[in-house]
Amino acid sequence: MIYETFSPEETRALGQKIGAEALPGSVYTLVGDLGVGKTVFTQGIAEGLGIREPICSPTFTIVQVYEEGRMPFYHFDVYRIGDIEEMDEIGYEDYFYGEGVCMIEWANLIEEILPEKRWDIIIEKDLEKGFDYRKITINRREE
Ligand code: ADP
Ligand code: MG
């Protein structure tokens, strides 16, 4: 599925819709350049899950846990990961195969341990279509 948004509000609203429909155990990966809107989108997901506190990028911890919504929300940012073993150290399987919703930013860096059943999300700019334009591609993977 391809979505197009023309403002941060629209991107947040799309995230919100996905968060509102998310089922326990869902894993979403999120890839896109710096400043493209990953945090805006993730904030929407969190709101859709009923989380009111602001989402911040988990820069110095790999995962940030939010418990106040209708199910736990696990927000990963693996950008600074040095070795895949760091994922073992935090017990990633409990999150990936648990009852909450996972959002993994920079998921391409930990490709080898991603669950096969997941949703891949890519956010891209296209300056020809305007400064605030974003193309958001969402693909369900199953194999
Ligand atoms: P990232 O987390 O990917 O580094 P952020 O979500 O922190 O990016 O920032 C995205 C920036 O782009 C924000 O300043 C936001 O206002 C701006 N922006 C402009 N248009 C859009 C859009 N259509 N969707 C999302 N963000 C947008
Ligand atoms: Mg961010």
Side-chain angles (χ1 to χ4, degrees):
M1 280 165 290
I2 294 176
Y3 299 89
E4 294 180 299
T5 70
F6 298 87
S7 67
E9 291 73 26
E10 268 185 74
T11 297
R12 196 167 61 231
L14 176 63
Q16 209 166 351
K17 181 173 159 284
I18 289 165
E21 292 169 359
L23 299 172
S26 302
V27 173
Y28 299 89
T29 71
L30 185 55
V31 172
D33 294 338
L34 200 71
V36 82
K38 299 184 295 299
T39 298
V40 169
F41 185 81
T42 305
Q43 184 70 54
I45 296 237
E47 284 164 14
L49 287 167
I51 296 161
R52 274 163 303 180
E53 65 185 288
I55 297 299
C56 38
S57 290
T59 309
F60 296 106
T61 50
I62 295 174
V63 61
Q64 196 82 49
V65 179
Y66 299 88
E67 302 269 15
E68 71 160 298
R70 65 187 167 87
M71 60 183 115
F73 180 49
Y74 307 122
H75 182 205
F76 290 79
D77 185 334
V78 299
Y79 183 69
R80 283 186 175 72
I81 208 160
D83 193 290
I84 205 88
E85 264 175 36
E86 289 175 45
M87 291 298 288
D88 290 322
E89 280 160 23
I90 62 155
Y92 77 91
E93 286 178 310
D94 292 345
Y95 300 111
F96 284 13
Y97 302 100
E99 292 298 301
V101 168
C102 289
M103 166 63 79
I104 311 162
E105 293 192 37
W106 297 97
N108 50 303
L109 297 177
I110 57 161
E111 184 81 46
E112 62 260 54
I113 60 164
L114 291 177
E116 291 182 342
K117 253 181 116 169
R118 64 179 196 254
W119 298 85
D120 286 337
I121 303 170
I122 301 169
I123 310 181
E124 295 162 292
K125 292 186 186 182
D126 181 348
L127 290 176
E128 280 178 17
K129 296 192 179 175
F131 191 67
D132 291 344
Y133 171 88
R134 301 292 188 271
K135 179 177 155 194
I136 303 173
T137 308
I138 305 181
N139 279 314
R140 188 176 175 193
R141 296 182 47 120
E142 200 79 68
E143 79 274 11

